[in-house]
Each structure stands twice: as C-alpha cells, then as structure tokens.
C-alpha cells in the first residue's frame, strides 16, 4: 500500500488563500506507480527513512558506489551503435572514439540476436537493419580492426546468441594478440528479461539459465576484467512498465542469477564484482534519479543476505535514455528530452551512459544526430558543473522521500515474486509480462486522451513538420556481402576440426558436463559460425516458442466514459451490425524483431473498441503471416515494424496474400517507419501507415473508413 502523507498545516493555510476555489490537496499527483506526489515536502517526510545516513562509497551505496564519484572521474560515455556491415560499423566506432566517446557498446542485428547466419531464409529482411551483422570470428575481427581490445572496454548487448557471440569476441581478441584475461567490458547475458519483454531468446528457460551460469563461471576464472552479466531493466520500461516494476523485476532477475551461480558451487564474492546493471532513464526526472539510488540500496541488502562482502554488495550501472519517449512527430524535441533524461542519470549516479539520437523514433541514427547525442554528454560533463559534487540531490526532501517510496514499493513487488517461487517461476506463470502489458495499455490510453502530455504529439503540435534526413540501410547489399564472406569461410576452414568442435559442443550441452562457453570458444576458433554454434546447441536444448496471451479491458478502463472513446466504440459496433460480425484484424510481426509492446497495445485497444483481434506468434515469415490471415479470414492485416524490415517484408506479405487469392485483405503498417518510406509502401499495396504517436481511436476510425470503402467495392 502507498504510504499516506500529509501536507504541512501552515502551507495549507497559505495555499488555501491563494487558490480560493480549489482544494490545495488536489495538487497531489498520483504517479503510474501508485505513489502520491505532494506539491510540497518538508523535513518530516524524511523521518525514519532507512536509506539515509551512509556516505558515498559506503554500503549500502545509496549515494553512489564510489566515494568521489564524478568529482574524481566522470561517467563513461558509452554510445550504443552498430548497423549494416562490420566494416561500416568499425568506421563509425573510430569516428566516435575520436570525438570523445570513451567506450564501445555494440548493437547487433536481429539475425545475430536470434542465432541465425545471414544466409538463413528466415532473416531475409533483418540482416544489417537494426544493428551490425556478425556471422563469425572474421566479422568480429573486422568490427574491431584498429581498436586495441586490450585497452578498449567493449559492451555487447547480446542474450539469445550470447555463447557464439562472446566466443567469437574472445577469439578475435586473441587473434589481435591479447590474452582473454586482459579483455574488458560487459556482455548483457540477461535472458530472463528476454522471456519477459524483449523476446530475442533462442533456447527454453532452463538451459538458458545454465548458459548464464556457465558464462559467469568461465569469465570469473578466465576474464577477471570482464563483466559477465548486465542485468537489464532498460527493455522492461521500454515495454511499458512502471518505474517500480522496472526496479523490482530487474533486481529480482539479479537475485535469480546469483542463485544460479551459487548453485554451480561458486563463492558469491568470486563473481559478484563482475555483475552490472542497465537501467532506462525516462521523463519522470526526479523519480528516475531516485530509482538509481533505491536500486543501490536494495541490491546491497539482497547481496548481504547471500553473505557477500561489502564490496560485493555494490551495484554498478549503465544507463540509456528512453527510446519510447522519442517521438516521430516534431522530432527535434527529442534532443531536449534526451538531455533531461541524461541529466537525471547523472544526478542518480550512473557509471556509464548512452544518449539516444533524436531520429531513432524514425530510423537508425545518422552521424549528425549521433554527434548531437554524444555532445549532450560532453556538455553535461564539462559545462554544467554536475560533476563537481557527489550526489548533489542528497538531502532533498522530495528526492529522499521518493527514494524511500521506491524502496518500499519495489520490496512489496519483489516479495510477491518470491512467493511465486522466484523470478523464473514468476515468468513461467506469466505474472511480470501481464503486469507490464497492463501498464503499457494504461499509459497509451492516458496519452491518447491527452491526460499525459507529449509536446508536439498530443499538444502544441507544429503547423509544419521539418524534414529530417535518415539513415537508410540497403538490406539486400549487406546480406549479399555477408553471404559471400560465409561462403569463403566454409570453403577455407578445416572441415574435420570444425566438425569435431561442434560435436564436442553438442556433447557438453546434452550431458551437462563441462562449460558451454569454453567449448564454444574452440568451435569459434575452428571457424564455426554463429548460426552453426546456435544450431548445435538447439539440437540439444530445442528452440523456445512463447505462448501468445493478450489482456482485455485495460485500455477501456483507463479511458472510462470519455465521449470520444465511447463514440468510436459505437461506430465500430454500428459497422459490425451491418457486417453481421465484428471486423477482424490480424496483428503480426514479421522477421526476428521481438519488440511487441506496440503490437500488444494495439491488440488490447482494438479489442476494447470492438474489433475481433488475432495476434500471430512472433517471428513470422511473410508466407506464415499470409497463412494466418487466410486461415483466420481477417479483414485487415496489421504489420508491426520496429527494426526497419518493413521495406523488404511488407511487400512480400502483399505478394503472398495475392498468391492465396486474398489480395482484397487490407494490409496496414505501424511502428518505426520513416516518412520517406510511406510512398514506397503505398505503391507496394499497403493501404495505410501509422507512425509512432498515432492516436489509437483515430486510427480505428481510419480503418473503419477503409473497411467501408472495401464493402462498397464488393457490393458494386
């Protein structure tokens, strides 16, 4: 339950006289987390808060993991980037390092994330589109050409195909001439988050947890400078969670990984120092800063329960500004949003930071937008004075009270998870995913009805949109280049050594004897590819398929009796009455993009508005999506795109529908789609495109118009 707080009597007297016809208590704001935020805080709000008292660098580290924090050394500027080929990404990295970036953070394409080589038929539209394509050690060597891996810290956001990617990185470092013991950086290796929200998993939960533990074990023994896991809340908030949910679910994931490592017989202090975290920084400025302070306090307490030393109780974190807060409409506003979010991360005490580029709601960032994002951090560090004082928000009545609120609310949720048997069991029961999807639907409803203001989107819209240059990746050219390199590798490698290494890997996976990463390193040395290593593991573990579950009533409940929503729902009901049934829509994601927040919100909202909604399984090919559309006899096929595969996959879907005598089905696209692509999609047969920030009831009215036009055509 939310703690009941009271406003000071003296302030109430003054405020009452100022407000006259309003109750000053009406100024209290209830956040999406259910926390009441008062208009004024005093010393009384900070009494009996358990997290107060320690200094920076002292357990439980509420005020920061280091005594001097940024006054000794500023946070690391670690921009997340990767696109197209290893060659192009390498050039981008070199330019960024020359421009002041201090560490590398690699984004991989979705084919790599899902353990497929670039020539696999399921990844035709994914290669090189949302990250760099890595098929083997040879690609990894090109990616870091001229970048000394004994000196440069490298963070790699990889979970599903974590074994082949990390193995290829280790071998690339060795072939640069460096022992793996000197390699530094972080591998994300956070598979529980994937099952919850991001969905770039490969194997089922149990073997996936074994992989996590084997990586922790191997790196603890062989790579003392390397962080074996980055426990990520970032994608949890991106999927629509509240800040309390992000905090609780992330720390609960961390607790599960610690248990897995201890179950392998490891001493907690042997690996705890190599665990790191990764949090999202959204637009609730003070609460995001308080979140990092609360996270350090809570993690220290949890690790203390495991018998960890004070040093091992320290939470270190990377942060990234929010992607969801970026808007396609009036996109230069995103520069301001990112700057505020970056300041919040700095005031909260992050150890490294990535600032998003303003154009990432439209496409991959350009060099121009990336420079602005990087300079945002350089200005913060060098011009604002934020690095001069350790934990400058400490002692703020408001921030300390918020920190206490977050500690309390997150603890309540984590206790609920423990009652379900821990995070793995909670995920298997669907609790975290259901809570996050509910929060996402509620947030979208608040935005659509204007209750939550987004400047330039649902209020203060510009009369004229300024054009934005976007980066466009030639997916076919990248894929052709990758396939050519794969063919060379397969022709020149030692076939017997390659076969023996994969057989050994399969044996380790099947028997449970030995370390999977250690064996995969040998396979990578033999030039086994990412896809081949993943396939060898899949033959033992299988490939995970998630159940599709949608929620009902949440979007409508948030809208209440809003006249616009009621009118839209009545229009849908009236059309259904004339049609003799509800209008049917299939929501599908094609390719290997697992971001399903938008698809799930659309499914929930359209269901509440009166549509008959079917959600197809993730990772569909155009052929499979067309089969679903025909078998379910839908009127509309809604394609959700997040990872730039729309130019390849959407036209293929239109063609597949035509080949099944279903060309009359209305195909629409939504998601992260640059405006410059709209005409191309329309020419390919797409009837409508809905970008980020689309008002859902308005979109429903547009679809009803298309359906009525279709019905008129059929009647003729």
């Amino acid at each position: 339950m939310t703690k009941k707080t009271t406003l000071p009597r003296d302030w109430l007297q003054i405020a009452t006289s100022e407000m006259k016809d309003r109750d000053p208590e009406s100024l209290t704001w209830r956040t999406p987390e259910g926390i009441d935020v008062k208009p004024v805080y005093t010393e009384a709000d900070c009494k009996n808060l358990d997290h107060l008292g320690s200094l920076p660098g002292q357990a439980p580290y509420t005020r920061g993991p280091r005594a001097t924090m940024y006054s000794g050394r500023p946070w690391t500027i670690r921009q997340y980037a990767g696109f197209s080929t290893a060659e192009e990404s390498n050039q981008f990295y070199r330019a960024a390092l020359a421009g002041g970036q201090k560490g590398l953070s690699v984004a991989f394409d979705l084919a790599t994330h899902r353990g497929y080589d670039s020539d696999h038929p399921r990844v035709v539209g994914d290669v090189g589109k949302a990250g760099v394509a890595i098929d083997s050690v040879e690609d990894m060597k090109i990616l870091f050409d001229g970048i000394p891996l004994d000196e440069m810290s490298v963070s790699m956001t990889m979970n599903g195909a974590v074994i082949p990617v990390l193995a290829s990185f280790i071998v690339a470092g060795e072939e640069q001439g460096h022992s793996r013991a000197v390699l530094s950086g972080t591998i994300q290796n956070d598979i529980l988050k994937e099952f919850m929200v991001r969905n770039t998993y490969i194997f089922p939960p149990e073997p996936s947890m074994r992989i996590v533990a084997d990586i922790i074990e191997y790196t603890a023994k062989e790579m003392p400078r390397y962080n074996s896991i980055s426990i990520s809340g970032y994608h949890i908030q991106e999927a629509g969670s509240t800040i309390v949910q992000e905090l609780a679910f992330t720390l609960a994931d961390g607790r599960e990984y610690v248990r897995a490592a201890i179950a392998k017989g490891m001493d907690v202090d042997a690996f705890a120092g190599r665990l790191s975290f990764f949090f999202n920084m959204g637009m609730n400025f003070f609460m995001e800063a308080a979140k990092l302070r609360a996270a350090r306090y809570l993690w220290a307490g949890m690790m203390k329960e495991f018998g960890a030393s004070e040093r091992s109780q320290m939470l270190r974190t990377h942060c990234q500004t929010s992607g969801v807060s970026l808007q396609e409409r009036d996109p230069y506003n995103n520069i301001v949003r990112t700057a505020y979010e970056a300041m919040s991360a700095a005031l909260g005490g992050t150890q490294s930071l990535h600032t998003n580029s303003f154009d990432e709601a439209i496409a991959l960032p350009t060099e121009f937008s990336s420079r602005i994002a990087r300079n945002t951090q350089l200005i913060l560090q060098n011009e604002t004075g934020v690095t001069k004082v350790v934990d400058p928000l400490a002692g703020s009545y408001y921030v300390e009270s918020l920190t206490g609120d977050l500690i309390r609310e997150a603890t309540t949720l984590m206790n609920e998870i423990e009652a379900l048997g821990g995070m793995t069991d909670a995920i298997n029961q669907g609790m975290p995913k259901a809570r996050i999807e509910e929060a996402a639907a509620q947030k979208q409803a608040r935005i659509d009805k204007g209750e939550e203001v987004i400047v330039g989107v649902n209020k203060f819209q510009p009369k004229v949109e300024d054009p934005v240059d976007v980066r466009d990746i030639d997916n076919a050219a990248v894929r052709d280049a990758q396939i050519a390199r794969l063919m060379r590798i397969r022709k020149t490698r030692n076939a017997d050594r390659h076969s023996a290494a994969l057989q050994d890997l399969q044996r380790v996976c099947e028997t449970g004897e030995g370390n999977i990463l250690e064996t995969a390193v040998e396979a990578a040395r033999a030039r086994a590819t990412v896809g081949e290593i993943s396939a060898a593991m899949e033959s033992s573990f299988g490939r995970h398929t998630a159940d599709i579950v949608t929620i009902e009533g949440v979007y409508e409940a948030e809208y209440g009796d809003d006249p616009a929503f009621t009118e839209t729902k009545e229009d849908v009901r009236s059309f259904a009455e004339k049609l003799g049934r509800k209008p049917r829509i299939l929501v599908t994601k094609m390719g290997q993009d697992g971001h399903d927040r938008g698809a799930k919100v659309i499914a929930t909202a359209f269901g509440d508005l009166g549509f008959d909604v079917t959600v197809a399984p993730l990772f569909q090919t155009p052929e499979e999506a067309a089969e679903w559309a025909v078998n379910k006899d839908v009127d509309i096929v809604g394609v959700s795109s997040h990872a730039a595969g729309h130019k390849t996959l959407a036209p293929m879907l239109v063609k597949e529908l035509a080949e099944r005598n279903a060309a009359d089905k209305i195909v629409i696209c939504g998601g992260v789609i640059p405006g410059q692509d709209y005409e191309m999609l329309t020419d390919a047969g797409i009837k409508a495109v809905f970008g980020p920030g689309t008002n859902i009831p308005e979109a429903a009215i547009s679809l009803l118009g298309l359906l009525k036009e279709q019905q008129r055509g059929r009647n003729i």
Side-chain angles (χ1 to χ4, degrees):
M1 292 291 292
T2 304
K3 179 179 66 176
K4 179 66 177 176
T5 56
T6 57
L7 295 168
R9 183 178 300 173
D10 290 346
W11 180 84
L12 276 172
Q13 290 174 346
I14 299 170
T16 300
S17 65
E18 288 181 356
M19 297 183 70
K20 296 179 182 177
D21 58 345
R22 287 181 62 192
D23 179 2
E25 299 220 17
S26 68
L27 297 177
T28 296
W29 168 49
R30 171 154 286 194
T31 74
E33 293 76 17
I35 294 172
D36 287 333
V37 174
K38 304 186 302 178
V40 63
Y41 283 77
T42 69
E43 185 178 0
D45 293 294
C46 296
K47 288 182 178 178
N48 304 317
L49 292 178
D50 294 337
H51 70 272
L52 297 177
S54 64
L55 291 170
Q58 292 181 352
Y61 305 109
T62 309
R63 299 192 60 191
R66 304 294 182 193
T68 55
M69 288 298 289
Y70 310 143
S71 63
R73 186 181 70 179
W75 66 87
T76 300
I77 300 173
R78 188 187 295 280
Q79 292 297 91
Y80 177 59
F83 45 82
S84 186
T85 62
E87 291 91 342
E88 191 170 352
S89 293
N90 174 262
Q91 292 174 10
F92 188 89
Y93 292 157
R94 290 196 192 195
L97 292 171
Q101 187 172 312
K102 299 299 183 183
L104 295 179
S105 187
V106 182
F108 297 95
D109 74 354
L110 289 166
T112 306
H113 272 287
R114 294 271 292 150
Y116 293 118
D117 286 334
S118 295
D119 58 354
H120 196 284
R122 297 197 73 89
V123 299
V124 171
D126 296 304
V127 178
K129 292 297 285 187
V132 60
I134 297 293
D135 290 318
S136 71
V137 170
E138 295 304 317
D139 289 330
M140 197 71 81
K141 288 168 67 176
I142 294 168
L143 185 66
F144 297 114
D145 181 45
I147 299 171
L149 292 178
D150 60 332
E151 299 175 11
M152 182 59 59
S153 172
V154 177
S155 174
M156 296 189 291
T157 301
M158 178 54 62
N159 300 289
V162 62
I163 287 289
V165 166
L166 183 53
S168 297
F169 173 76
I170 291 168
V171 175
E174 290 176 345
E175 294 187 6
Q176 260 197 11
H178 313 305
S179 163
R180 57 182 173 269
V182 303
L183 300 179
S184 64
T186 303
I187 190 78
Q188 192 163 96
N189 193 26
D190 179 5
I191 201 61
L192 291 177
K193 173 262 296 182
E194 298 298 326
F195 292 119
M196 243 191 296
V197 291
R198 181 62 182 85
N199 300 314
T200 52
Y201 43 69
I202 300 176
F203 314 111
E206 286 191 8
S208 294
M209 286 299 291
R210 179 186 164 196
I211 289 167
V212 170
D214 276 12
I215 290 172
I216 293 173
E217 179 184 54
Y218 180 90
T219 53
K221 292 178 180 177
E222 304 289 336
M223 304 172 71
R225 298 177 58 194
Y226 203 79
N227 297 327
S228 56
I229 189 168
S230 174
I231 305 154
S232 175
Y234 184 83
H235 289 105
I236 294 174
Q237 191 180 143
E238 288 291 282
S241 81
T242 67
I243 291 174
V244 165
Q245 289 169 348
E246 179 196 7
L247 180 57
F249 293 155
T250 304
L251 296 180
D253 281 350
R255 178 156 48 193
E256 202 82 341
Y257 296 134
V258 171
R259 285 172 175 159
I262 291 173
K264 286 187 70 71
M266 297 183 68
D267 178 80
V268 65
D269 289 327
F271 65 85
R274 294 289 94 193
L275 304 179
S276 67
F277 285 80
F278 174 25
F279 284 107
N280 193 312
M281 302 309 293
M283 286 298 289
N284 191 340
F285 184 88
F286 291 104
M287 189 174 284
E288 291 288 7
K291 177 183 71 182
L292 300 187
R293 305 173 86 249
R296 289 191 290 267
Y297 176 87
L298 287 166
W299 183 247
M302 290 166 62
M303 293 302 286
K304 189 174 182 179
E305 292 175 4
F306 285 114
S309 67
E310 281 203 0
R311 182 172 179 78
S312 295
Q313 295 169 26
M314 183 188 298
L315 181 147
R316 295 160 299 113
T317 189
H318 172 71
C319 288
Q320 181 175 341
T321 59
S322 173
V324 168
S325 72
L326 301 177
Q327 303 298 322
E328 180 194 34
R329 297 179 185 176
D330 210 3
Y332 291 105
N333 290 342
N334 295 333
I335 298 172
V336 182
R337 293 184 179 106
T338 294
Y340 287 140
E341 291 166 349
M343 176 68 90
S344 183
L347 293 175
T350 190
Q351 278 59 71
S352 63
L353 179 61
H354 166 86
T355 33
N356 288 329
S357 299
F358 73 86
D359 51 359
E360 289 186 55
I362 307 170
L364 289 170
T366 62
E367 290 186 15
F368 170 73
S369 65
S370 296
R371 179 170 171 265
I372 292 173
R374 187 170 59 250
N375 285 352
T376 298
Q377 294 197 55
L378 292 172
I379 291 167
L380 266 179
Q381 289 186 351
N382 293 282
E383 296 187 29
T384 66
V386 74
T387 61
K388 305 300 184 185
V389 177
V390 180
D391 192 19
L393 293 183
S396 159
Y397 299 146
Y398 176 40
V399 172
E400 297 294 9
S401 182
L402 271 183
T403 303
D405 289 336
L406 289 170
I407 289 168
R408 183 185 62 258
E409 297 294 331
T411 298
T412 299
L413 185 49
M414 286 190 288
N415 288 342
E416 189 177 346
I417 292 165
E418 287 295 281
L420 294 174
M423 200 57 177
T424 303
D425 287 343
I427 288 171
N428 286 334
Q429 294 172 54
M431 184 271 262
K433 182 178 278 288
R435 297 283 180 87
I436 293 166
E437 289 178 3
E438 180 180 9
Q442 290 170 337
K443 180 179 178 67
Q444 186 61 48
R446 291 194 301 271
I447 292 170
D448 285 345
K449 65 180 180 178
E451 189 177 279
E452 190 167 314
V453 174
I454 301 179
V455 174
V457 177
N458 61 4
K459 199 170 184 180
F460 311 114
Q461 297 97 332
K463 293 181 179 179
V464 179
E465 290 278 359
D466 295 319
V468 176
D469 292 331
V470 299
R471 183 185 294 275
D472 186 36
I473 301 297
D474 186 341
N475 165 238
V478 175
R479 190 166 185 263
D480 288 345
Q482 290 299 120
I483 291 172
R485 188 176 295 140
L486 278 167
M487 291 175 65
R488 287 196 299 272
I489 290 169
R490 289 166 181 159
K491 286 180 180 178
T492 57
R493 67 192 177 193
N494 184 307
D496 291 339
R497 184 185 176 197
H498 166 261
S499 178
L502 287 178
Q503 288 176 15
D504 195 30
L505 175 62
Q506 190 171 344
R507 176 191 60 77
V508 169
C509 291
E510 288 177 353
T511 64
E513 298 174 359
N515 186 286
I516 297 172
L517 177 57
E518 183 177 13
T519 315
V521 168
E522 295 304 317
R525 283 200 187 100
R527 290 312 187 262
T529 66
V530 167
E532 290 166 345
I533 292 173
S534 297
M537 297 168 67
E538 185 181 341
S539 67
S540 299
F541 296 150
R543 185 173 276 264
H544 180 68
T545 301
D547 295 329
I548 302 298
V549 179
T550 57
I551 57 176
E552 298 178 356
V554 174
Y555 186 87
E556 182 175 14
E558 189 69 30
Y559 249 99
D561 57 359
D562 180 82
F565 182 88
T566 302
E567 183 179 349
T568 303
K569 189 172 181 180
E570 177 57 28
D571 286 345
V572 176
R573 188 203 62 76
S574 177
F575 179 79
E577 195 173 81
K578 293 176 183 177
L579 192 64
R581 58 171 173 80
K582 291 181 177 181
R584 300 182 187 129
I585 181 169
L586 172 71
V587 178
T588 183
K589 292 192 69 70
M590 294 184 292
Q592 300 305 304
D593 175 23
H595 286 102
D596 63 351
R597 170 185 179 160
K600 289 294 187 67
V601 168
I602 288 293
T604 297
F606 271 70
D608 288 354
L609 283 164
F611 285 77
D612 184 353
V613 183
T614 298
V615 181
L618 288 169
F619 314 121
Q620 297 280 287
T621 64
E623 296 87 348
E624 290 165 344
E627 283 295 317
W628 269 83
V630 171
N631 292 339
K632 294 295 182 179
D633 192 23
V634 299
D635 306 297
I636 301 168
V637 183
V639 178
S640 175
S641 176
H642 186 90
H646 53 274
K647 290 175 68 175
T648 302
L649 299 172
M652 290 174 68
L653 172 62
V654 172
K655 181 181 177 182
E656 291 293 334
L657 287 169
E659 291 180 358
R660 290 163 175 77
N661 297 316
D664 61 335
K665 296 191 184 300
I666 297 169
V667 181
I668 62 170
C669 288
V672 181
I673 300 174
Q676 67 188 36
D677 293 349
Y678 285 20
E679 184 177 355
M680 171 262 164
L681 291 172
T682 301
D683 291 344
I686 306 304
K687 298 301 183 185
V689 182
F690 300 98
T694 295
N695 180 283
I696 290 178
E698 291 176 5
I701 293 296
S702 297
L703 292 190
L704 280 180
L706 291 172
L707 286 168
K708 290 173 183 177
E709 183 180 328
Q710 180 192 64
Q711 290 302 307
R712 285 193 295 269
R714 287 175 176 173
N715 292 335
I716 292 171

